[in-house]
Amino acid sequence: MAQDRVEAVERALTVLEVFDSSQEAFALAELAEATGFYKSTLLRLLGSLARFDYVQRGEDGRWRLGGSPMRLARRHAPSQQLAVRVQPWLDRLAAETGETAALLALHPGEVECRLAALPATPLRHDLRPGSRWPTERDTDPRPALPGGTMTCLALADAPGEPLWLSLSGPAGRLAPETAHEALTRARDALARRLAGDREKNT
């Protein structure tokens, strides 16, 4: 019904719909062409969307999706179930190794931290869920860490997009072999739990 419509909300949603595309980032002119809105109107809408992290403006001036759509998508049951399974292992990894443990999701050209557990030490990689960084290779989700290092291991048979377990911290504090062994134990245990979950649901 017409009285149930809020024009400003519908305009903002129209802007968000543009990002349902294989194109990762848009210039203001491209958004104006796609929506039919004036640039001045778009800037106001994008400003509000950015304040709630639905969109982000990069250093190149182009607009990308922010963290909020992905955060809300993780409320979907399969994602919640995965988080329930993974977070205890991240907490255990952080406690056992003294490093930051995380679950990373790989998107085209970008990596997002989905879950994280921080060690009880002030000298650490302060990685938080929602953190994102660019990547050029779909086989290496590691960010640039000056003075630090990250070891990653793909989480096989995970539902949805490619997922990786990682341990990161100051360079030289944890041997890469030790990190890889710890990640392998966690990955194998998670694979067994996820396989059991699938059998219960079939």
Side-chain angles (χ1 to χ4, degrees):
M1 298 175 63
Q3 60 266 34
D4 295 329
R5 298 178 59 185
V6 179
E7 186 175 353
V9 174
E10 292 191 1
R11 287 185 175 184
L13 293 173
T14 299
V15 174
L16 289 177
E17 286 290 330
V18 178
F19 292 90
D20 186 13
S21 164
S22 59
Q23 184 172 332
E24 292 294 318
F26 295 84
L28 186 63
E30 293 174 316
L31 291 172
E33 182 178 357
T35 60
F37 298 155
Y38 291 114
K39 292 181 181 179
S40 57
T41 300
L42 268 174
L43 284 173
R44 290 195 298 271
L45 293 169
L46 290 165
S48 292
L49 290 169
R51 277 190 287 277
F52 287 86
D53 199 27
Y54 280 89
V55 297
Q56 296 175 352
R57 190 177 188 182
E59 294 181 359
D60 58 359
R62 297 170 68 82
W63 293 89
R64 299 165 174 79
L65 277 179
S68 289
M70 296 178 187
R71 173 176 53 81
L72 293 175
R74 291 196 295 272
R75 303 298 298 175
H76 189 262
S79 296
Q80 287 182 306
Q81 184 182 52
L82 182 63
V84 168
R85 294 290 186 232
V86 173
Q87 189 64 55
W89 275 100
L90 298 182
D91 294 338
R92 183 181 302 184
L93 284 168
E96 291 178 351
T97 66
E99 301 294 82
T100 297
L103 178 69
L104 310 177
L106 191 61
H107 309 291
E110 187 177 64
V111 179
E112 180 198 6
C113 175
R114 286 292 179 82
L115 301 169
L118 303 179
T121 174
L123 186 59
R124 65 192 184 193
H125 180 203
D126 198 19
L127 184 58
R128 306 283 180 173
S131 301
R132 299 197 289 179
W133 56 89
T135 183
E136 296 181 356
R137 294 186 292 172
D138 59 6
T139 57
D140 188 0
R142 294 175 298 174
L145 288 176
T149 185
M150 176 182 281
T151 302
C152 299
L153 195 62
L155 184 59
D157 299 325
E161 72 264 86
L163 298 173
W164 298 68
L165 295 173
S166 73
L167 283 170
S168 56
R173 188 163 68 182
L174 183 68
E177 297 82 5
T178 303
H180 190 271
E181 289 173 3
L183 289 172
T184 299
R185 289 194 299 271
R187 181 199 62 184
D188 293 347
L190 283 169
R192 290 192 294 270
R193 293 298 299 272
L194 293 173
D197 291 342
R198 285 194 293 269
E199 289 179 2
K200 291 178 183 178
N201 293 329
T202 56

